[in-house]
Amino acid sequence: MRAADANSSVKSRGIAALFILTVLVLAVLPDLLSTYYLGLVIEILIFALFAMSLDLLIGYTGMASLGHAAYFGVAAYAVGLLAIKLHWSVWSALPAALIIVAAVATLFGLLALRTRGSYFLMITLALSQVAWGIAFGWRSLTGGDDGLPNLPRPELAAHWSLAGDRPFYFFILLLEGAGVLLLTRLATSPFGFALRGIRESETRMQALGYDVWRYKFAAFIVAAVFAGLAGALYAYYNRFVSPDYLGVFRSAEVLLMVILGGAGTLIGPAIGAAVIVLLENLVSAYTERWLIVIGTIYILVALFAPNGIIGFIRDFRARRAKS
Amino acid sequence: MSALSVTDISRNFEGVQALANVSFEVAPGERRLIIGPNGAGKTTLFNILAGSYAASSGRVALFGRDITHLPAYARARLGLSRTFQITNLFFRLTVLENVLLALQAGNTTASPVLRLLRQDRALLAQADALLARWELSEHAGHAAQDISYGQQRQLDILLAMAVAPKVLLLDEPTAGLSAAEVPRVKAILRSLARDTTVLMIEHDMDVAFELADRITVLHQGRLLAEGNVEAIRNNPQVTEIYLGSD
Ligand SMILES: Nc1ncnc2c1ncn2[C@@H]1O[C@H](COP(=O)(O)OP(=O)(O)OP(=O)(O)O)[C@@H](O)[C@H]1O
Ligand SMILES: [Mg+2]
């Protein structure tokens, strides 16, 4: 036991060092990168949080949702509408968007959690399609497939605009960082521990006295709120919201990020997000070619690395340690 | 007041009458043995007591409180704990994590919210002690799926006992254990304090008769006989079904 303790303290010190290094690198990036590449970093940060939020459902709780973009998109539309139509500042629009997402997730969760397994997958997909249908169809409010253009860059206070690349980057970095830390903290708390127990055996959890339904419901809402934070920031970054944000393609893409990186590891889905975002910018996005690329990655991962990049690295290291 | 009171429980599975009008009472602190041939309805009875299955009809009370319509987790919180005939563990978590999850369930040292957010270090020491007692310490870091079948069976019992139950349901606790493991489990069960009431399904009659105060015999879903060890041993009907079925 003592050896295991020492081991874990070395490990946690390693993680702390890695964390500080990451923060330092992220802090100097604006001085090193052009606007285009800085934009890529912002996208990676946003999608990393989005993928990690889905991992809480898939990797931790064992609930595969195929409609996670609904929450990403609802929050994006919420900040878009509040900022454009009501001229709300970021400090009111962002919290309001998260509350709206939580409300939508409460409703969708009550419906979806009546099912499990592949039925859960189908119903989350169907619910996200309802959200997409509203965004697409309610032209007078959402602009239909033209979306919501000209979303203003947020202002922290009067005369202190985040219009410049640098301040905007730090704004995103701060909120994303807070989101990632909070989510990680939650995933490693007794709450997250119980979610992993639910993934392994619901009946055993119940026999021990855990109210499994409530844990799943809470996980569903928490995951949606973090997806919403990512979506709202993406809206501010793009200065544009469209029905694509809530579409089934986005849901499938974030699912692929989780699976590619390694479900249940949090860091894996973040890596998966980085890989997909970079590839997407290499192969010009949303062409048929991109669909082929996505499909190919999916097949390769399923065949050769069913536990994702993280799982692949672990297996590799385990094999090397043996030989 | 009875620790457990079962009144007129029936259950059918699409035509199969797994239990028919079973009634009995278990006194606080009692060790009750449930026996009967394969398919007699013993595990079904446990599933109904623990709330995994609903009864088709009948009533279950725990220390006088009607729990017939409570979900499984609520019964567990009232102090009813059970093991599983088909080993039910958190297979991809480590042995230590399995125990910690059980201890976390029974932990009431902080407010509910705080308990969800902050790991209680004291649980780790408790888990270490339990693992040492069950001679599983060296496997603490192994995934539950990687230990031997006998060790998995013992971990299943360990989890059920870790929540400090008032009533413990053991479904064939020594089945699948190696000859060397049986005495340890027996000793642990024997040392269990009398403030825990125990109901045990067991095919190993050495283990069963040694621990039991009273015995309930099920046969084809019906309660065939009930009495102390001596009475059941000498019951001609019981001898008949055991000879007849073997
Ligand atoms: N979930 C179920 N669905 C359908 N039939 C079931 C189910 N569970 C039990 N049965 C049936 O109910 C009857 C009693 O089964 P049960 O498992 O309770 O027997 P048991 O006394 O525990 O037997 P064993 O000693 O083999 O464990 C059997 O005929 C069984 O097939
Ligand atoms: Mg059985």
Side-chain angles (χ1 to χ4, degrees):
Chain A
M1 225 37 250
R2 187 120 356 122
D5 267 1
N7 208 336
S8 78
S9 96
V10 166
K11 210 168 146 190
S12 66
R13 230 176 296 156
I15 289 172
L18 196 69
F19 178 73
I20 292 168
L21 191 71
T22 311
V23 169
L24 283 177
V25 169
L26 286 171
V28 298
L29 277 183
D31 300 317
L32 304 175
L33 297 179
S34 67
T35 305
Y36 172 75
Y37 286 107
L38 201 59
L40 270 187
V41 174
I42 289 176
E43 278 198 40
I44 288 173
L45 289 172
I46 288 172
F47 282 98
L49 180 62
F50 187 23
M52 288 167 83
S53 76
L54 180 58
D55 194 27
L56 193 70
L57 288 188
I58 295 183
Y60 277 76
T61 324
M63 301 193 287
S65 162
L66 197 44
H68 205 50
Y71 314 101
F72 184 85
V74 162
Y77 270 103
V79 290
L81 288 169
L82 291 171
I84 293 171
K85 310 236 160 169
L86 300 179
H87 308 290
W88 282 25
S89 80
V90 62
W91 300 124
S92 16
L94 191 58
L98 297 184
I99 290 169
I100 291 167
V101 168
V104 171
T106 301
L107 181 66
F108 284 11
L110 285 173
L111 295 169
L113 285 172
R114 303 174 74 89
T115 63
R116 57 186 67 230
S118 52
Y119 294 101
F120 180 80
L121 199 111
M122 301 294 273
I123 197 165
T124 49
L125 172 63
L127 289 168
S128 78
Q129 285 302 92
V130 170
W132 180 86
I134 293 171
F136 190 81
W138 194 352
R139 288 198 73 90
S140 57
L141 184 72
T142 63
D145 52 351
D146 295 336
L148 292 173
N150 301 325
L151 182 64
R153 276 276 155 96
E155 287 188 8
L156 286 188
H159 311 300
W160 195 20
S161 160
L162 293 174
D165 288 338
R166 230 184 120 92
F168 184 70
Y169 169 79
F170 281 112
F171 163 76
I172 296 268
L173 185 59
L174 217 70
L175 285 177
E176 288 292 319
V180 166
L181 279 183
L182 210 65
L183 188 59
T184 311
R185 187 66 220 270
L186 218 56
T188 52
S189 71
F191 172 71
F193 189 28
L195 296 184
R196 287 163 65 216
I198 289 170
R199 178 193 72 200
E200 294 299 307
S201 171
E202 287 191 23
T203 48
R204 177 54 99 166
M205 286 299 275
Q206 259 146 0
L208 290 172
Y210 289 92
D211 185 346
V212 167
W213 186 88
R214 266 211 224 188
Y215 275 88
K216 286 163 93 173
F217 188 48
F220 193 84
I221 295 171
V222 167
V225 168
F226 282 99
L229 176 59
L233 294 179
Y234 196 53
Y236 278 122
Y237 165 69
N238 269 342
R239 309 186 56 195
F240 173 68
V241 186
S242 77
D244 286 347
Y245 277 54
L246 316 129
V248 59
F249 185 77
R250 269 240 178 271
S251 289
E253 197 178 58
V254 69
L255 185 64
L256 180 60
M257 290 171 181
V258 173
I259 294 170
L260 171 65
T265 61
L266 284 186
I267 182 75
I271 294 170
V275 172
I276 297 284
V277 168
L278 291 175
L279 271 177
E280 194 173 6
N281 278 274
L282 225 64
V283 187
S284 65
Y286 298 104
T287 62
E288 269 173 48
R289 253 196 311 174
W290 178 237
L291 279 177
I292 293 169
V293 172
I294 287 266
T296 312
I297 295 174
Y298 201 96
I299 292 166
L300 288 178
V301 170
L303 286 180
F304 299 111
N307 296 318
I309 294 171
I310 292 287
F312 190 79
I313 294 171
R314 266 188 205 150
D315 288 352
F316 182 76
R317 291 217 315 222
R319 236 173 300 143
R320 252 213 347 210
K322 251 185 206 163
S323 64
Chain B
M1 186 198 308
S2 300
L4 199 65
S5 130
V6 177
T7 317
D8 232 5
I9 286 286
S10 298
R11 169 76 205 215
N12 42 352
F13 295 106
E14 289 119 32
V16 180
Q17 187 79 12
L19 286 175
N21 305 99
V22 171
S23 301
F24 62 92
E25 310 260 328
V26 182
E30 190 183 325
R31 270 72 178 122
R32 171 67 58 96
L33 178 67
I34 317 271
I35 61 172
N38 292 118
K42 306 180 296 294
T43 299
T44 303
L45 173 67
F46 271 19
N47 279 326
I48 287 170
L49 296 181
S52 303
Y53 296 166
S56 306
S57 64
R59 223 176 66 86
V60 182
L62 186 70
F63 295 104
R65 175 171 174 173
D66 189 338
I67 58 166
T68 314
H69 301 292
L70 286 187
Y73 78 86
R75 299 182 195 208
R77 286 198 194 155
L78 290 175
L80 184 66
S81 184
R82 55 97 49 105
T83 68
F84 290 82
Q85 182 172 10
I86 299 167
T87 316
N88 190 347
L89 300 172
F90 310 111
F91 281 107
R92 286 180 298 175
L93 303 186
T94 66
V95 169
L96 176 63
E97 285 175 322
N98 271 264
V99 180
L100 284 173
L101 265 179
L103 291 173
Q104 183 176 299
N107 185 18
T108 50
T109 51
S111 76
V113 176
L114 212 60
R115 239 183 286 147
L116 280 181
L117 299 178
R118 213 171 48 201
Q119 199 79 57
D120 185 350
R121 302 286 298 176
L123 299 187
L124 206 58
Q126 285 180 45
D128 280 348
L130 281 174
L131 288 174
R133 175 129 197 255
W134 288 81
E135 293 179 30
L136 286 168
S137 299
E138 58 175 310
H139 298 292
H142 296 166
Q145 63 190 0
D146 294 335
I147 59 179
S148 77
Y149 182 66
Q151 287 165 336
Q152 289 176 350
R153 293 296 305 155
Q154 292 176 78
L155 183 55
D156 199 297
I157 304 171
L158 193 170
L159 294 190
M161 289 176 60
V163 294
K166 294 200 187 87
V167 175
L168 177 61
L169 310 178
L170 298 165
D171 199 342
E172 304 196 17
T174 64
L177 298 187
S178 71
E181 290 166 330
V182 173
R184 173 167 59 249
V185 172
K186 259 166 82 172
I188 289 174
L189 295 181
R190 217 181 295 120
S191 70
L192 197 61
R194 281 278 166 174
D195 42 19
T196 302
T197 307
V198 180
L199 277 76
M200 180 168 74
I201 299 171
E202 184 57 74
H203 284 299
D204 183 333
M205 290 306 148
D206 286 346
V207 177
F209 287 149
E210 183 192 327
L211 289 168
D213 297 321
R214 285 176 74 76
I215 301 176
T216 296
V217 187
L218 291 181
H219 181 46
Q220 294 176 351
R222 291 178 186 281
L223 195 143
L224 185 80
E226 187 182 313
N228 60 27
V229 176
E230 209 48 39
I232 295 298
R233 261 198 184 134
N234 301 326
N235 184 317
Q237 264 182 307
V238 174
T239 336
E240 162 108 21
I241 63 159
Y242 270 94
L243 291 178
S245 73
D246 280 344

